[in-house]
Amino acid sequence: MALQEITISDLSINPFELIGTEWGLVTAGDATGFNTMTVSWGGMGVIWGKNVVTIYVRPQRYTKRFIDAAGRFTLSFYAPEHKRALGVLGTKSGRDGDKVAEVGFTPLFLDDTTAFEEARLVLSCRTLYDIKPECFLDQSCDSTHYPEHDYHTMYIAEVEHVYRAE
């Protein structure tokens, strides 16, 4: 399937299902090097007058260095038959081998970052902000979810382009 750019106003999705149930991939880097990881936490909305997504990445994830270096990433979503591949991409590290080749996905380089031809929806994003862990207002979130203090980086990123499989 070929991806075609659409306007964000043409997008009709349920973000709760898309992110929380179907999962997605966050991918960053370019043809010289990239990595991807599965996400099931995140959000979509409007802040500062911009259409944004939020994603959460732990510091030990290999993909984080690519996001930080580029300041860009894609958030992409797939048909149900790719759920097993998303599981593999979320549990294996790109440091240890070519997990993308293992699942048979085909890299697609667009907007100075990377997505995959198998995607049915791709949001191309530019990072705007990172929330710091010292800003927890409810300290129980800190002690419950971060006993090792390996805080996720929460990226708020502007959705600059939207692509849909045609």
Side-chain angles (χ1 to χ4, degrees):
M1 286 186 282
L3 293 174
Q4 299 296 318
E5 187 165 9
I6 63 169
T7 64
I8 202 160
S9 61
D10 289 333
L11 192 58
S12 177
I13 57 169
N14 177 336
F16 302 102
E17 288 293 317
L18 203 59
I19 296 170
T21 303
E22 296 178 22
W23 308 341
L25 291 178
V26 170
T27 310
D30 57 25
T32 64
F34 66 90
N35 200 61
T36 191
M37 62 178 268
T38 302
V39 292
S40 62
W41 289 14
M44 297 178 183
V46 177
I47 191 166
W48 306 311
K50 298 177 183 297
N51 297 310
V52 300
V53 298
T54 57
I55 61 166
Y56 303 82
V57 181
R58 288 208 192 255
Q60 59 266 46
R61 296 303 300 257
Y62 187 49
T63 304
K64 185 178 185 318
R65 74 175 55 186
F66 292 92
I67 297 170
D68 291 344
R72 305 191 55 75
F73 61 85
T74 59
L75 179 58
S76 55
F77 300 94
Y78 299 80
E81 61 265 20
H82 293 298
K83 186 86 177 231
R84 188 197 71 73
L86 297 181
V88 170
L89 295 169
T91 57
K92 293 193 174 188
S93 175
R95 287 184 190 97
D96 302 328
D98 190 348
K99 63 184 184 176
V100 172
E102 180 180 336
V103 300
F105 277 12
T106 308
L108 176 65
F109 305 105
L110 54 107
D111 301 327
D112 297 322
T113 191
T114 305
F116 301 101
E117 289 182 13
E118 292 75 13
R120 65 182 172 93
L121 176 66
V122 175
L123 306 177
S124 179
C125 306
R126 179 177 59 88
T127 58
L128 300 173
Y129 188 71
D130 162 21
I131 303 294
K132 304 298 180 200
E134 58 270 14
C135 296
F136 278 118
L137 299 176
D138 178 345
Q139 291 301 310
S140 70
C141 294
D142 187 5
S143 59
T144 301
H145 297 286
Y146 299 102
E148 303 297 320
H149 304 291
D150 59 338
Y151 298 102
H152 287 91
T153 296
M154 183 181 99
Y155 296 97
I156 298 174
E158 181 179 11
V159 177
E160 293 187 317
H161 301 277
V162 177
Y163 301 91
R164 184 171 49 204
E166 295 292 324

